[in-house]
Amino acid sequence: MQANMEMDYCDWMLGFSIGGHKLEPLPCFVVYWVGDKRVLYRDAGSITQAVEAYEQCLKIDPDSRNAGQNRLLAMNYIDEGIDDKLFEAHRDWGRRFTRLHPQYTSWDNPKEPERPLVIGYVSPDYFTHSVSYFIEAPLVYHDYANYKVVVYAAVVKADAKTNKFRDKVLKKGGIWRDIYGMDEKKVASMVREDNVDILVELTGHTANNKLGMMACRPAPVQVTWIGYPNTTGLPTIDYRITDSLADPPDTRQKHVEELARLPECFLCYTPSPEAGPVSPTPALTHGFVTFGSFNNLAKITPKVLQVWARILCAVPNSRLVVKCKPFCCDSVRLRFLSTLEQLGLESLQVDLLPLILLNHDHMQAYSLMDISLDTFPYAGTTTTCESLYMGVPCVTMGGSVHAHNVGVSLLKSVGLGHLVAKNEDEYVQLAIKLASNVTALSTLRTDLRNLMSKSPLCDGSKFTLGLESTYRKMWKRYCKGDVPSLKCMELLQQQQQLSSSEVVAMKLSEPTKATSSRESPPVSVKTNGFNLGIPSLLNLGIPSSSEENGTTHSAKLS
C-alpha cells in the first residue's frame, strides 16, 4: 500500500503545474509546492526542470537557503566545465550567504607549528550513508595524541554505524558532540570552546549541511572534503581536499577555496562488513553480458543513455540493469524505458530495480551485473567503490571538472587505469572490449576484491598519515599568517566597500536632506572576536592578495 501511495504521489506531483494552481497561496506555500516539485524533478533525472524550479523559488525568496543550495547541487549533474557559470553561481551564493552571518576574526589557538592539533569533523552523515564509508578511516587511524578528533554529528536518525563511530572516537580519546537541531551560531561557539584548530566539513551543499556554522569561521583553519564535488563558494573556507587526478594541477575549474592535494587518492574506502562474498560472473551462466549502474538517476543524463545504448547495440544479446530509488514510480520507469527504446534498445533488455533497503541485499545485487558503467559528467563515488569491492570492473571517463574525474582517481588507485577513457568513443570501445572476453572478465572478478583491498584506496593507515601531513602543512601556513580565506574575505570586503562608495556617491549627487540617527552608516561591532559585519582584515598582518576571489588555487602545501 505504501509503495502505491508513493507512486501515486510521484505521478501527481510530476504532473502538477506550478502556475496552474487555482488558489493564490502565501509566498511560503508557493515555495513549499515549487520546492517539492523541484525535488521530484531532480530525483527523476529532469535536472534542467529542477534548476528552473529552484530558480522560481529564489524569485519568491532570494535568500532561501534550501532553494539556493539545491540549485547549486543540481547544476553539478549537467556541468561539463565548458564555462565558469557553475563556479560563478557558487561564488555569488557564498558572498550573499556570508553577509548573513557574523564572522569570528580572532582565535586563542596558540600559533605553535609542531604542537598537537585538534581536528573537528562536522557532518550529518555519520550513519549508513555514502560519506560514512570515507570518513571511517580517519576516525579509526588518526594519531589522537597529535591529532585529537572532535566529531560534530548532526545525524537526524542514528543507526548502528553511528554508535560504532561514536564508540571508536570516544575509546581513542576523542570527543563526540551531537548537534542535530542546534542553532549554527551556537555550534560555532561550541567549536571555539573546544579549541578546534582545523575544522573540516564533510557535506558541502547536500542535505542537512552546516555551512552556516562554517560561514561564522569559528576555527582558524577551515576545510571542505568528501561530501561535495565542487567549491562551496564560501570565502570563509580555506581549503578543499582533493588529489592530482581528480583535480589536475592544470585544471581550469575554479574554486573559492585553495586546493589541497593529498599524496594519492583523496578518498579512502572502508567496505561494508555486510557486503557478503563475491559471486561468479553472471555471463558464465547466462551466456550474455549484463552492464549495470546503481548510480543516482540524476546522474544518468540523456547523453549517458546515448552512450550506453551504443554499447548495448554493439554487444550481441547484452542487457542493462539499473537500480535507483525513483524506479518505485511507474511514470519514471516508463519514461526511462521509452528513452532507451528511442535509442534502439528493447525494453526486454533492461531491468529497472527500486531502492533496496538492506545493505547486504544492496551489495549482493551487484551479482546481477558483469560490468559497471560509470556516469558523466557527474561520476559515481560510493557506487564505484562498491562495484569494485563486489568484483565488478567499472568503465569510467575523465573530464574537465572534479565531479567528472572522481572515477579516474578511484580506478587508477586500484590499478585499473586501463578502464579510464578519454572520450565517449573510447568509453564505448573499452566497454565492448571488456565484454568480449568473458574468461578474462571472470578472472578479474575473482581477483578484484583482493586487488582493491591491498591498494591505496583501502589502506586506511597510510591514507591517514598523508591526511595528517596535509593538516600539519595547513597549520604551519596559518602560523606564518598565510590564510587563504582571510585573503578572500579581504577581497570581499573591498568589493563591498566599493559598492558602498558608489551608493554614497549617488546619494551625494542627490539634493541634500535632513538625516536622522537611524540613517547613520552601519558599523562593525566586535565582541569576543565575533564580527557582526564583514570583518576588517587590514590590521591582522595578513598579506594582501592581488588574485581575484575565485581563481583556481593550486596546492601550495609543499
Side-chain angles (χ1 to χ4, degrees):
M1 181 63 181
Q2 185 176 359
N4 291 333
M5 288 175 64
E6 184 171 2
M7 287 187 284
D8 292 341
Y9 173 76
C10 184
D11 292 337
W12 179 77
M13 285 301 295
L14 287 172
F16 179 82
S17 173
I18 295 174
H21 202 280
K22 294 180 181 179
L23 300 176
E24 293 292 332
L26 294 172
C28 60
F29 294 127
V30 175
V31 173
Y32 173 80
W33 288 116
V34 176
D36 273 351
K37 183 163 184 173
R38 50 80 182 151
V39 168
L40 288 166
Y41 273 140
R42 189 185 71 197
D43 289 348
S46 303
I47 301 303
T48 301
Q49 292 95 321
V51 172
E52 291 172 354
Y54 289 128
E55 290 173 349
Q56 290 188 51
C57 294
L58 293 169
K59 288 179 182 178
I60 298 165
D61 180 5
D63 289 325
S64 169
R65 179 169 173 178
N66 188 41
Q69 292 192 278
N70 275 289
R71 170 177 173 262
L72 296 177
L73 174 60
M75 292 173 72
N76 282 283
Y77 292 106
I78 52 177
D79 177 58
E80 296 185 3
I82 59 176
D83 55 39
D84 295 335
K85 289 182 179 178
L86 184 53
F87 162 72
E88 291 166 358
H90 281 83
R91 180 198 60 195
D92 294 347
W93 178 90
R95 289 175 176 175
R96 186 182 189 101
F97 188 70
T98 300
R99 291 190 182 108
L100 301 176
H101 296 77
Q103 283 85 42
Y104 290 103
T105 57
S106 64
W107 301 268
D108 295 330
N109 309 56
K111 289 187 175 182
E112 300 170 9
E114 300 297 339
R115 70 171 175 81
L117 298 177
V118 179
I119 311 296
Y121 289 108
V122 58
S123 174
D125 300 324
Y126 297 108
F127 67 104
T128 307
H129 178 281
S130 295
V131 169
S132 70
Y133 295 100
F134 303 101
I135 189 57
E136 182 167 355
L139 296 183
V140 171
Y141 290 102
H142 262 312
D143 172 9
Y144 279 57
N146 290 298
Y147 298 89
K148 182 178 180 179
V149 170
V150 182
V151 169
Y152 299 94
V155 180
V156 176
K157 186 176 181 180
D159 63 7
K161 198 165 196 179
T162 310
N163 297 331
K164 171 185 172 185
F165 282 178
R166 183 190 295 110
D167 291 345
K168 285 186 176 180
V169 169
L170 295 177
K171 186 176 181 179
K172 291 178 71 70
I175 297 173
W176 183 283
R177 300 203 183 280
D178 292 307
I179 62 168
Y180 175 68
M182 283 189 186
D183 178 80
E184 289 180 285
K185 292 184 179 68
K186 183 175 181 180
V187 178
S189 178
M190 183 183 295
V191 169
R192 286 176 66 83
E193 291 171 2
D194 289 332
N195 296 311
V196 171
D197 299 305
I198 300 176
L199 182 61
V200 188
E201 77 85 26
L202 307 170
T203 318
H205 291 283
T206 61
N208 302 309
N209 65 79
K210 294 300 176 185
L211 290 187
M213 181 265 289
M214 299 296 286
C216 295
R217 206 167 188 278
V221 179
Q222 300 201 148
V223 181
T224 182
W225 180 39
I226 298 180
Y228 192 68
N230 212 319
T231 180
T232 62
L234 277 184
T236 57
I237 296 182
D238 300 284
Y239 303 97
R240 186 172 77 82
I241 292 177
T242 183
D243 63 48
S244 60
L245 292 175
D247 289 283
D250 62 350
T251 181
R252 296 179 61 188
Q253 184 179 5
K254 295 179 180 179
H255 306 84
V256 169
E257 310 87 357
E258 183 173 309
L259 298 183
R261 295 180 175 88
L262 296 186
E264 296 183 280
C265 183
F266 75 102
L267 295 171
C268 183
Y269 177 67
T270 302
S272 169
E274 302 168 347
V278 173
S279 62
T281 304
L284 293 174
T285 303
H286 298 154
F288 55 80
V289 171
T290 302
F291 296 95
S293 171
F294 290 172
N295 272 296
N296 186 330
L297 186 57
K299 296 182 179 182
I300 307 176
T301 64
K303 175 62 71 68
V304 170
L305 288 180
Q306 291 173 18
V307 172
W308 288 359
R310 287 175 58 189
I311 294 170
L312 269 78
C313 288
V315 179
N317 303 316
S318 59
R319 296 182 61 81
L320 176 68
V321 57
V322 184
K323 181 180 78 67
C324 57
K325 183 163 56 176
F327 287 151
C328 68
C329 179
D330 284 334
S331 60
V332 175
R333 287 201 306 273
L334 291 174
R335 279 194 293 275
F336 192 87
L337 291 173
S338 176
T339 300
L340 289 175
E341 286 173 351
Q342 294 172 26
L343 294 171
L345 300 184
E346 296 181 9
S347 59
L348 293 177
Q349 286 180 266
V350 184
D351 292 310
L352 304 181
L353 307 177
L355 178 70
I356 298 175
L357 293 178
L358 297 179
N359 193 45
H360 170 79
D361 296 343
H362 160 71
M363 296 296 285
Q364 285 299 305
Y366 283 96
S367 65
L368 300 173
M369 69 174 81
D370 298 286
I371 299 170
S372 175
L373 298 176
D374 203 1
T375 51
F376 53 87
Y378 197 150
T381 305
T382 311
T383 50
T384 299
C385 292
E386 290 174 344
S387 173
L388 298 177
Y389 191 71
M390 298 308 294
V392 182
C394 179
V395 177
T396 193
M397 177 170 56
S400 59
V401 296
H402 175 94
H404 205 157
N405 288 325
V406 171
V408 178
S409 181
L410 295 175
L411 263 66
K412 288 192 175 182
S413 178
V414 175
L416 297 178
H418 60 286
L419 297 182
V420 176
K422 296 184 180 66
N423 51 53
E424 292 174 15
D425 289 340
E426 189 172 325
Y427 180 98
V428 171
Q429 291 305 313
L430 284 175
I432 294 173
K433 181 179 179 181
L434 199 58
S436 68
N437 190 337
V438 175
T439 301
L441 202 56
S442 178
T443 301
L444 179 59
R445 192 181 188 99
T446 302
D447 298 338
L448 193 47
R449 177 176 290 190
N450 185 54
L451 181 68
M452 181 182 185
S453 298
K454 293 181 178 180
S455 75
L457 183 58
C458 292
D459 190 339
S461 178
K462 183 179 179 181
F463 174 86
T464 305
L465 286 174
L467 183 63
E468 290 175 346
S469 175
T470 299
Y471 287 156
R472 181 61 62 182
K473 291 172 184 176
M474 291 177 182
W475 183 250
K476 287 181 177 180
R477 286 182 57 179
Y478 169 76
C479 292
K480 293 178 181 179
D482 186 1
V483 186
S485 66
L486 293 184
K487 300 173 187 177
C488 288
M489 291 299 293
E490 182 183 274
L491 288 167
L492 183 58
Q493 182 196 29
Q494 291 171 354
Q495 291 162 359
Q496 187 182 39
Q497 290 173 340
L498 180 61
S499 298
S500 299
S501 298
E502 292 173 350
V503 172
V504 171
M506 290 176 64
K507 286 188 175 293
L508 290 175
S509 66
E510 297 175 352
T512 304
K513 65 178 182 178
T515 60
S516 69
S517 61
R518 292 182 180 180
E519 294 176 311
S520 60
V523 295
S524 177
V525 181
K526 189 184 295 183
T527 303
N528 190 28
F530 212 9
N531 198 320
L532 303 182
I534 296 299
S536 174
L537 307 174
L538 303 179
N539 300 320
L540 297 180
I542 304 300
S544 298
S545 170
S546 60
E547 295 180 359
E548 181 179 354
N549 180 26
T551 53
T552 305
H553 297 291
S554 59
K556 298 179 183 177
L557 306 177
S558 57

